[in-house]
Amino acid sequence: GAGVSQSPSNKVTEKGKDVELRCDPISGHTALYWYRQSLGQGLEFLIYFQGNSAPDKSGLPSDRFSAERTGGSVSTLTIQRTQQEDSAVYLCASSPQPRGALNEKLFFGSGTQLSVL
Amino acid sequence: AQTVTQSQPEMSVQEAETVTLSCTYDTSESNYYLFWYKQPPSRQMILVIRQEAYKQQNATENRFSVNFQKAAKSFSLKISDSQLGDTAMYFCAFMKGIGGSQGNLIFGKGTKLSVKP
């Protein structure tokens, strides 16, 4: 597709279950970011990928959160043993420029709304 | 640490009228950038406008303009000739100039704007 695609659009899970959220960036975009947006809040940075490596994981809130990227393309964010406070919208963005480039421009997906019951 | 404050949780405006959204920030950095992002119901974050702190001239993008008051640390967004498609959450965001990235912005909590027909 032409834009950043995220799936599923909505996910309802039970407390304690594991979930996987997927992000398909725009083809050729080397930089990929994951964010969390809790209700009534702005975006909270989680992790940054450049290619397949993650030079900045500083935003991951706990060791229950992990992410990987394969083939310099698709990325998966995994949340293990979900808790109710994990309920949020998880947004992904990609960019053709590396992080911090002067001409940096981010393209966002529509996010996954995660609800933990 | 930098903080961004949006004091108006919700605002409404009549179609074709002008509305101003407020944003203040706090930083000890001398070199930085400020942004306004729009998040419609589709949840995609869309960059509206960007301002470099070293530039005295206020940024404009078609119907969108900012009033950047560096000494007061104020960065308001003016939307002229409001359109129904402007209905969205609007987020003000800060980025350090050195070592900063749009991938790691500091966001305010947002203002929900409703444009009424």
Side-chain angles (χ1 to χ4, degrees):
Chain A
V4 178
S5 178
Q6 291 189 245
S7 60
S9 179
N10 292 281
K11 175 72 176 178
V12 180
T13 190
E14 294 179 349
K15 178 181 173 182
K17 300 278 191 181
D18 297 353
V19 295
E20 285 190 353
L21 312 180
R22 178 185 169 107
C23 173
D24 279 275
I26 294 171
S27 178
H29 282 197
T30 56
L32 187 147
Y33 303 83
W34 282 100
Y35 303 87
R36 179 169 70 176
Q37 186 178 24
S38 301
L39 187 65
Q41 304 291 321
L43 270 62
E44 173 190 9
F45 166 78
L46 296 178
I47 187 169
Y48 159 61
F49 286 94
Q50 182 60 36
N52 289 339
S53 63
D56 188 353
K57 306 178 183 180
S58 63
L60 295 177
S62 76
D63 60 8
R64 296 188 296 106
F65 287 72
S66 63
E68 65 176 12
R69 189 178 185 194
T70 55
S73 181
V74 173
S75 177
T76 303
L77 176 69
T78 300
I79 309 173
Q80 296 178 310
R81 304 181 302 282
T82 52
Q83 303 294 313
Q84 288 183 332
E85 60 262 30
D86 299 334
S87 296
V89 174
Y90 290 83
L91 286 161
C92 173
S94 70
S95 174
Q97 300 93 13
R99 179 170 168 173
L102 279 177
N103 59 344
E104 184 178 34
K105 182 174 172 60
L106 269 59
F107 296 80
F108 283 83
S110 295
T112 294
Q113 171 74 65
L114 175 65
S115 300
V116 182
L117 304 180
Chain B
Q2 291 80 29
T3 59
V4 177
T5 302
Q6 293 179 250
S7 58
Q8 305 151 315
E10 291 192 42
M11 293 191 73
S12 64
V13 63
Q14 290 296 129
E15 195 175 7
E17 297 292 309
T18 295
V19 64
T20 299
L21 309 183
S22 301
C23 173
T24 58
Y25 61 94
D26 190 23
T27 184
S28 58
E29 303 279 337
S30 57
N31 182 14
Y32 54 89
Y33 299 80
L34 296 162
F35 302 83
W36 279 98
Y37 272 87
K38 168 185 177 180
Q39 188 179 39
S42 68
R43 300 194 301 234
Q44 272 184 317
M45 295 288 280
I46 302 166
L47 178 63
V48 174
I49 201 164
R50 162 186 169 137
Q51 173 81 41
E52 291 87 346
Y54 64 84
K55 288 187 177 179
Q56 292 186 340
Q57 185 172 8
N58 289 323
T60 63
E61 283 289 343
N62 301 314
R63 298 182 296 106
F64 299 87
S65 62
V66 298
N67 183 3
F68 175 46
Q69 300 290 328
K70 191 171 184 179
K73 295 181 179 173
S74 170
F75 183 61
S76 60
L77 174 70
K78 185 171 83 170
I79 306 174
S80 304
D81 186 25
S82 297
Q83 300 176 0
L84 296 178
D86 295 333
T87 293
M89 284 290 290
Y90 286 81
F91 292 94
C92 178
F94 172 97
M95 182 184 92
K96 291 193 299 183
I98 297 174
S101 163
Q102 286 193 53
N104 200 3
L105 294 167
I106 297 167
F107 285 88
K109 292 188 176 182
T111 295
K112 183 177 181 181
L113 177 66
S114 300
V115 180
K116 301 184 184 304

